[in-house]
Amino acid sequence: MKTRTPNFNPGAISNDFAAIQEIIKQYLNDYLFTCTFVKVVGVGENSQFVNVQPVIQNVATNGEIIPLSDGDIIYNVPMLTMYGDNCEISLNAAIGDLGLIIACRQDISKFKQTKQAASIGSRRMFSFSDGVYLPLSFNARQPGVIVKNGDSVLHILPESITMTTKTVTVNSDTATVNAGTVNLGGEGGKGIARIDDTVEVNVTSGSSAGTWTGKITSGSGVSSSI
């Protein structure tokens, strides 16, 4: 990352103590980073690493804003994925996404390569070159918990769960639904017949041609289509 910190403000150096403060402040601004907001400007394969650029601009001592440039881009930043005990919540990054870059205390360059215990790459400390990217959003909030990917949305409220998507696929040896009422079909969908339902059968040809009414007396425990 290119250093774009303004020089000392002469008006702030009124005595020796103020001068020391300015020196310390300048040193920390140049060499010690914690976290800051960034936007994604490049995405690596499978979103494992992203290139990010800070969105907070410095101001020079004369009040002029110091513009951001390609020299401020931080490359190959690992993107955080929640993972533990073979459970995972992952998402992809896209150019323009906002988030935080969090600086690690030590050089993690060797760890990024091996993804296991590794020695420090150098004596560099608190650098955004050793940062990790945490995706965040300032979008308006809705009640409950929302899991969204494009047009597919899972909305979890305290007493209801709504899933909106075009296709649902369930891969399981056994699927069990325990509910007092199950509504199948719905608006625009196909109905389903049950045992003891009254049905009409339309015979279009032969000696039994006509419309016949009866009840379903038995059926399979498996529905292949609805």
Side-chain angles (χ1 to χ4, degrees):
M1 178 182 176
K2 184 178 179 181
T3 300
R4 303 189 61 82
T5 304
N7 294 325
F8 292 155
N9 180 0
I13 309 177
S14 57
N15 52 54
D16 290 345
F17 180 72
I20 293 174
Q21 283 186 311
E22 283 295 307
I23 292 172
I24 294 173
K25 183 186 298 183
Q26 185 79 36
Y27 177 85
L28 295 177
N29 279 331
D30 286 344
Y31 296 107
L32 189 148
F33 301 96
T34 53
C35 67
T36 191
F37 279 100
V38 293
K39 69 176 179 180
V40 175
V41 296
V43 181
E45 184 178 0
N46 299 324
S47 293
Q48 294 185 66
F49 295 90
V50 293
N51 302 333
V52 298
Q53 184 182 51
V55 296
I56 308 300
Q57 297 174 312
N58 269 317
V59 178
T61 54
N62 61 1
E64 292 184 359
I65 294 176
I66 300 176
L68 297 167
S69 69
D70 290 346
D72 297 291
I73 295 176
I74 308 160
Y75 295 92
N76 297 322
V77 180
M79 180 168 168
L80 289 178
T81 295
M82 296 182 65
Y83 184 90
D85 194 22
N86 206 31
C87 302
E88 178 180 338
I89 299 177
S90 64
L91 61 158
N92 292 323
I95 292 176
D97 284 352
L98 293 176
L100 279 176
I101 183 171
I102 304 170
C104 296
R105 179 171 178 262
Q106 296 168 311
D107 185 339
I108 64 170
S109 55
K110 292 184 178 180
F111 174 76
K112 286 161 62 175
Q113 297 172 2
T114 62
K115 297 182 176 66
Q116 57 184 346
S119 61
I120 58 174
S122 68
R123 296 189 63 81
R124 179 176 64 202
M125 297 178 67
F126 297 108
S127 170
F128 281 147
S129 297
D130 304 309
V132 292
Y133 171 68
L134 173 64
L136 293 174
S137 169
F138 292 101
N139 294 336
R141 297 293 186 268
Q142 298 183 46
V145 177
I146 297 176
V147 180
K148 183 178 184 295
N149 184 10
D151 293 331
S152 296
V153 182
L154 180 65
H155 192 175
I156 304 174
L157 293 171
E159 296 182 356
S160 67
I161 298 176
T162 303
M163 181 167 54
T164 304
T165 187
K166 293 182 178 179
T167 303
V168 176
T169 301
V170 178
N171 296 316
S172 175
D173 293 336
T174 303
T176 303
V177 177
N178 297 316
T181 301
V182 177
N183 297 318
L184 300 175
E187 183 178 354
K190 297 180 180 179
I192 184 169
R194 303 161 299 178
I195 295 175
D196 290 332
D197 278 353
T198 299
V199 295
E200 288 186 350
V201 178
N202 297 313
V203 180
T204 59
S205 62
S207 59
S208 299
T211 300
W212 305 88
T213 302
K215 284 188 176 184
I216 297 177
T217 58
S218 64
S220 169
V222 178
S223 174
S224 59
S225 63
I226 298 175

